[in-house]
Amino acid sequence: MRSKSLALIALGTGLAVAMTACGANTSGGGSTTSDTNTNSGSGGAKVGVILPETASSARWEGFDKPLLKKALEAEGLQADIQNAQGDVQKFSTLADGMINAGVKVLIIATPNSEIGATVAKKAEAQGIPVIDYDRLNLGGSSKYYVSFDNEKVGELQGQGLVEGLAALAPGKKPAEVIEIEGAPTDNNATLFYNGQQKVLKPKYDSGDLKLVQSKPIDKWDNQVGGTTFEQILTGNGQKVDGVVAANDGLAGAIITVLKKYGLNGKVPVTGQDATPEGLQAILRGDQFMTVFKPINEQADATAKLAAALAKGDTAAADKMATGVTKDTTGNRDVKSVLLPAQLITKDKVKVVVDAGFVKATEVCVADLAAVCTELGIK
């Protein structure tokens, strides 16, 4: 995730210090044998990582995979990182292969809580500790969870929408809002929604805003999200003042529809993940905001936790996981590392580039060269 950004970096660095005391797809078939770009060299405990998919967000292969590989290797661990491509059977097969290969720790970001809970149970039956990465598996048994404060992420999205409406539809009451949310099987999507509603529900209740419709999108499918949004929009007489999109992928699909009706740039659209495409849309004025989650900090925290667990040092792991997340299905508290995120609007895009999260060349494409120069992005 620069005066304010320097403070954020300092906070992230502090967290990292405290925790010390405290692309291309590479998976294929059901094998857990990775290519040389995925595994580290010889030596060190084996750690298995299974990421959920690539269809809904560029983050998993573009950011999480290389950052996790780097962080795990820095801790002296061998990293086997695979992607289930949204297929729960493949996720299960990958997990079985890693368990049979004798990984010392299993890190999972799952397509849904059911498969996550099943995999965690299998691993722990073999004495392999499991870390829920980014997504908490409700009703599961993983002892640790590393993510961002996802309810706070939702609050930032709600805040961004309100700011966008003030800028693009000042004085409009009630401003009409459509919400396109994440997968109902993803606990993070629920947390994002809960955070959004902390900001938006009082405004719905007061009549400042009018909720046209709110729809979760199965599997975070961008195409389905765009189609769903268009159906709601046309059903409302092609009228909308603001759109909550749960991530940048859904935002992109929504913007495509808004362009079709000549509404892009006139309607604030939220997002999340600070992808190059999302940042480009913000610079063009088609998307109002995104949420920057410094995944390098998430990867580093996960690697340090995995290193402690690989040594059997649960006391050290517990010192790192100072937060608690409620598993509402399993009625249990899960030890957690929860990291901060940041709201990014047009004037803050430079923060993401300066942090090294994306390259200026990925954002400042030909039609955005002038605006990048204006904003000092280079």
Side-chain angles (χ1 to χ4, degrees):
M1 167 180 158
R2 20 204 226 50
S3 60
K4 289 185 178 178
S5 56
L6 285 171
L8 181 67
I9 290 171
L11 174 60
T13 304
L15 280 166
V17 170
M19 286 182 292
T20 303
C22 88
N25 301 339
T26 59
S27 59
S31 172
T32 61
T33 302
S34 307
D35 60 27
T36 54
N37 292 324
T38 305
N39 281 334
S40 66
S42 60
K46 291 182 180 179
V47 174
V49 182
I50 313 178
L51 301 176
E53 42 83 18
T54 58
S56 75
S57 177
R59 66 164 286 189
W60 300 112
E61 290 292 307
F63 298 113
D64 294 87
K65 179 180 171 182
L67 289 170
L68 279 165
K69 179 178 182 291
K70 179 180 177 182
L72 289 164
E73 290 179 357
E75 294 295 327
L77 303 168
Q78 293 187 60
D80 182 4
I81 304 177
Q82 301 288 340
N83 195 303
Q85 299 298 340
D87 185 331
V88 293
Q89 182 56 52
K90 183 174 182 178
F91 195 99
S92 180
T93 301
L94 289 169
D96 288 345
M98 291 178 181
I99 291 168
N100 292 334
V103 296
K104 295 299 183 184
V105 181
L106 187 60
I107 300 165
I108 56 174
T110 59
N112 62 57
S113 288
E114 184 178 358
I115 187 63
T118 299
V119 163
K121 186 175 180 180
K122 283 184 183 179
E124 289 169 349
Q126 299 299 317
I128 301 169
V130 179
I131 300 171
D132 283 350
Y133 178 82
D134 200 72
R135 300 171 172 179
L136 179 67
N137 292 300
L138 297 178
S141 56
S142 302
K143 301 298 190 298
Y144 299 94
Y145 172 51
V146 181
S147 190
F148 294 87
D149 185 338
N150 291 308
E151 194 163 292
K152 181 62 177 178
V153 169
E155 288 184 47
L156 293 176
Q157 291 175 319
Q159 178 186 336
L161 182 71
V162 171
E163 291 180 9
L165 288 168
L168 298 178
K172 175 73 183 292
K173 289 189 181 182
E176 298 187 59
V177 175
I178 298 173
E179 298 175 352
I180 301 297
E181 303 291 353
T185 54
D186 179 358
N187 185 56
N188 278 5
T190 300
L191 295 174
F192 301 147
Y193 175 81
N194 291 345
Q196 294 160 13
Q197 297 310 303
K198 281 187 176 181
V199 177
L200 300 179
K201 191 175 185 303
K203 295 186 177 295
Y204 291 141
D205 292 344
S206 70
D208 288 348
L209 302 180
K210 176 186 175 184
L211 178 60
V212 178
Q213 203 168 338
S214 182
K215 276 287 192 180
I217 303 300
D218 191 34
K219 298 181 180 179
W220 292 85
D221 189 305
N222 296 331
Q223 184 174 351
V224 173
T227 301
T228 302
F229 172 72
E230 184 167 16
Q231 290 170 346
I232 297 170
L233 179 66
T234 55
N236 197 47
Q238 299 176 17
K239 294 185 300 179
V240 66
D241 297 304
V243 184
V244 174
N247 72 359
D248 288 350
L250 290 170
I254 288 162
I255 289 165
T256 298
V257 176
L258 291 173
K259 286 180 178 178
K260 179 178 176 180
Y261 295 97
L263 295 172
N264 61 300
K266 302 174 183 177
V267 176
V269 180
T270 71
Q272 178 184 182
D273 291 334
T275 63
E277 296 78 10
L279 296 172
Q280 288 173 22
I282 290 172
L283 293 177
R284 291 189 182 103
D286 292 333
Q287 184 172 327
F288 187 77
M289 61 80 68
T290 188
V291 178
F292 173 33
K293 302 186 296 187
I295 296 170
N296 61 310
E297 293 180 16
Q298 184 180 19
D300 289 346
T302 303
K304 291 181 189 303
L305 193 59
L309 292 173
K311 296 173 186 173
D313 192 347
T314 55
D318 289 349
K319 286 181 181 178
M320 298 176 203
T322 56
V324 173
T325 302
K326 189 72 174 180
D327 175 355
T328 53
T329 299
N331 193 29
R332 66 192 188 105
D333 292 331
V334 183
K335 296 171 184 176
S336 306
V337 178
L338 299 175
L339 300 163
Q342 185 176 2
L343 192 159
I344 299 296
T345 48
K346 184 176 180 179
D347 61 327
K348 295 291 196 311
V349 170
K350 187 176 186 295
V351 170
V352 185
V353 177
D354 288 351
F357 188 72
V358 297
K359 296 177 182 177
T361 52
E362 295 177 293
V363 177
C364 300
V365 292
D367 67 306
L368 294 173
V371 69
C372 281
T373 298
E374 180 186 341
L375 294 171
I377 301 170
K378 57 185 178 180

